[in-house]
Amino acid sequence: MDYSAANKDLWNIIIQLGMIAGVLLVANFLRQKLSFVRRSMMPIAVLGGFLMLGLKYTGLVTIDQTLMETLVYHGIALGFIAMSLRVPMQKASKGDLTGFKSGAVIVSTYLVQGTVGLLLTILLSLTVFPELFSAAGMLLPMGYGQGPGQANNVGGTYESLGFVGGRSFGLAIAAAGYIVACVVGVIILNVLRANGKLKKAEASAEARPAADFFQSENEIPISDSIDKLSVQLAMVLLTYLVTYLVTWGITSGISAASPGVANTINPLLWGFNFIIGSALAILLRVSLEKGKKMGIVHRQYQNNYLLNRISGFFFDIMIVAGIASINVEDISVHWIPFLLLAVVGAIVTWVHLAVICKVVYPDYYYEGLISMYGMLTGTISSGVLLLREIDPGLSTPAANNLVSGSGFGIILGAPVLILVGLAPKSLTFCWIVAGLAALYCVILCIVIRKVHGRSK
């Protein structure tokens, strides 16, 4: 075997991952040394992604587009599997429906973004931009609500259905979402403070919460005949292998039973494989808990600290790769629709959350509103970053709501996957999907009010 630089297949992945590592370290250095970067609260991975995108377009580095897309696709699934394997630190009290209500808030925001985005691109395609893919508006909730992973997957699916530059368009929406979360979110915080609605909170060492413990009671040893980190990675990777096998089995069965249905459903199942992976990870976690109660399993194999680090690693890689793989030329013909979606998406997301969060989080309204806005335009990390500006000790349940709500959001958001698959069928289906999304949003808002009234 040739181990020299001439063997591109041998060294390419190391070169590409090395570049990602390099821009992450540079981005971290810039954040530490430049105060205006710190004040922007832009996540280091996002800054690193833009640095790598800039290097690509200046010709200083060569990006392997296929590898970057692969890292985005697998990164989101592996990250969510690691998160889903974590052992809950606190059991929800009986009758506590905050997690369910937070999930409904998240999904209702997806639906608002999807309805408005779809109506906007339908109208644009019927008037001044007849070449625009009419279902492009459904990428707004994928980019803003779901982030670069799903923006990449759904954009790629739409691209295969005729949306030229669809994947890059979706990733650009996701990148705009980060800017909205980190820039617009900070502006909103400052405006609220100027109006006397918020006080600037100072974080102290005592106020910072201990997120998780490196070694909890009855866990496997840190280093035994197998390293503890190896055990965590083994569970994550094995779960992902089972995810592949289960998805392959389901899609093969659908293809055999109904090829027509398979053309619609199968791309969505592969595109949203992180949901199947999360469900299987939860199943494994619950099985291990049951095994402990039955005396079959004697130790706790998961370590939340390491699983958080693993998920964070995969998400950071995914974000850098996703932004770096944006092809600006692919969206050059769609600049006006892109900018309209980005601006309108930021506005409708804020208006919807400003109304619904008053119902769901009356005791910590601004903490709940700001954290949800940061997450539903960017990611959960940008939601927490904004929250720390007004609740540095995370003394309110707002941060936990982001996590618990995301779990319920997977279940409540299942119908959204069907709508995403139906929208690109035709212009008529776009109108139908917009109507169904609006109807489901109204239903969720009614449910939120009913559930909140009963839980008081």
Side-chain angles (χ1 to χ4, degrees):
M1 182 177 180
D2 181 11
Y3 297 107
S4 72
N7 190 340
K8 301 296 184 182
D9 292 335
L10 176 64
W11 288 105
N12 181 56
I13 188 170
I14 301 300
I15 294 170
Q16 298 292 314
L17 289 175
M19 289 191 296
I20 292 176
V23 295
L24 279 172
L25 292 175
V26 171
N28 182 62
F29 176 80
L30 293 176
R31 184 180 173 91
Q32 297 299 322
K33 298 299 181 181
L34 302 178
S35 59
F36 73 90
V37 176
R38 286 197 304 275
R39 287 196 298 269
S40 73
M41 294 194 296
M42 180 177 290
I44 290 173
V46 177
L47 179 58
F50 282 120
L51 288 174
M52 198 161 177
L53 183 64
L55 291 173
K56 179 177 76 170
Y57 277 98
T58 55
L60 295 176
V61 300
T62 301
I63 301 296
D64 186 332
Q65 191 75 12
T66 301
L67 178 60
M68 291 299 158
E69 293 175 19
T70 300
L71 291 174
V72 173
Y73 177 74
H74 292 309
I76 189 171
L78 290 166
F80 270 99
I81 287 171
M83 288 181 63
S84 300
L85 282 171
R86 296 177 305 176
V87 178
M89 299 304 294
Q90 293 180 338
K91 301 292 184 182
S93 59
K94 190 174 181 180
D96 182 8
L97 299 174
T98 305
F100 173 82
K101 289 185 289 185
S102 296
V105 169
I106 291 170
V107 176
S108 68
T109 307
Y110 294 165
L111 294 165
V112 169
Q113 292 169 339
T115 302
V116 174
L118 197 53
L119 289 175
L120 179 59
T121 52
I122 289 173
L123 293 175
L124 289 175
S125 68
L126 291 174
T127 54
V128 291
F129 294 100
E131 77 285 355
L132 180 64
F133 193 68
S134 57
M138 286 301 288
L139 290 174
L140 180 59
M142 296 298 102
Y144 272 34
Q146 290 281 311
Q150 289 315 302
N152 176 81
N153 295 345
V154 177
T157 300
Y158 282 11
E159 191 167 300
S160 67
L161 296 173
F163 185 12
V164 178
R167 193 192 62 82
S168 290
F169 190 88
L171 286 170
I173 291 290
Y178 285 124
I179 295 173
V180 169
C182 299
V183 177
V184 177
V186 173
I187 293 173
I188 290 173
L189 285 175
N190 290 328
V191 170
L192 290 174
R193 281 180 182 143
N195 293 334
K197 294 182 179 180
L198 295 176
K199 294 181 179 179
K200 185 172 179 60
E202 299 293 339
S204 63
E206 294 77 15
R208 297 189 187 105
D212 35 33
F213 299 96
F214 185 76
Q215 181 72 21
S216 299
E217 184 180 356
N218 202 36
E219 281 192 18
I220 58 175
I222 295 174
S223 182
D224 200 0
S225 56
I226 183 172
D227 191 85
K228 194 169 190 172
L229 176 60
S230 300
V231 174
Q232 312 306 308
L233 285 170
M235 288 190 292
V236 171
L237 293 172
L238 178 60
T239 302
Y240 197 33
L241 173 60
V242 176
T243 300
Y244 164 77
L245 295 174
V246 169
T247 308
W248 174 76
I250 294 173
T251 53
S252 297
I254 295 174
S255 297
S258 176
V261 174
N263 290 335
T264 300
I265 299 299
N266 287 3
L268 290 175
L269 289 175
W270 286 111
F272 286 83
N273 71 330
F274 81 97
I275 295 180
I276 298 175
S278 296
L280 290 172
I282 292 172
L283 179 62
L284 174 59
R285 188 193 75 205
V286 172
S287 298
L288 290 172
E289 291 174 356
K290 293 291 184 182
K292 286 177 65 177
K293 292 179 180 179
M294 296 171 63
I296 301 173
V297 178
H298 301 288
R299 307 295 292 271
Q300 179 178 309
Y301 287 87
Q302 306 102 298
N303 178 270
N304 285 0
Y305 177 85
L306 291 176
L307 287 171
N308 280 336
R309 303 291 72 76
I310 291 170
S311 65
F313 169 77
F314 284 124
F315 286 149
D316 285 342
I317 296 296
M318 176 201 72
I319 290 169
V320 174
I323 296 175
S325 64
I326 294 174
N327 288 322
V328 176
E329 56 270 16
D330 286 345
I331 60 172
S332 59
V333 295
H334 302 307
W335 274 114
I336 295 178
F338 161 71
L339 291 174
L340 286 174
L341 278 175
V343 173
V344 171
I347 295 171
V348 298
T349 301
W350 174 262
V351 171
H352 173 69
L353 289 173
V355 174
I356 202 69
C357 288
K358 282 186 178 180
V359 177
V360 181
Y361 313 120
D363 297 330
Y364 48 97
Y365 170 62
Y366 287 110
E367 290 84 355
L369 170 61
I370 293 297
S371 59
M372 279 291 177
Y373 187 71
M375 183 177 76
L376 289 168
T377 51
T379 63
I380 192 169
S381 62
S382 52
V384 174
L385 281 170
L386 291 177
L387 176 63
R388 282 189 181 278
E389 286 295 298
I390 56 178
D391 183 16
L394 301 184
S395 57
T396 67
N400 186 61
N401 292 343
L402 300 181
V403 179
S404 61
S406 296
F408 281 99
I410 292 175
I411 301 171
L412 294 173
V416 178
L417 304 186
I418 300 174
L419 299 180
V420 168
L422 289 175
K425 293 292 183 181
S426 68
L427 181 60
T428 301
F429 272 101
C430 285
W431 285 112
I432 293 173
V433 167
L436 291 174
L439 177 61
Y440 188 30
C441 181
V442 171
I443 292 172
L444 283 178
C445 290
I446 293 173
V447 169
I448 289 172
R449 289 185 177 275
K450 292 287 186 181
V451 170
H452 183 72
R454 292 177 182 176
S455 60
K456 283 184 178 180

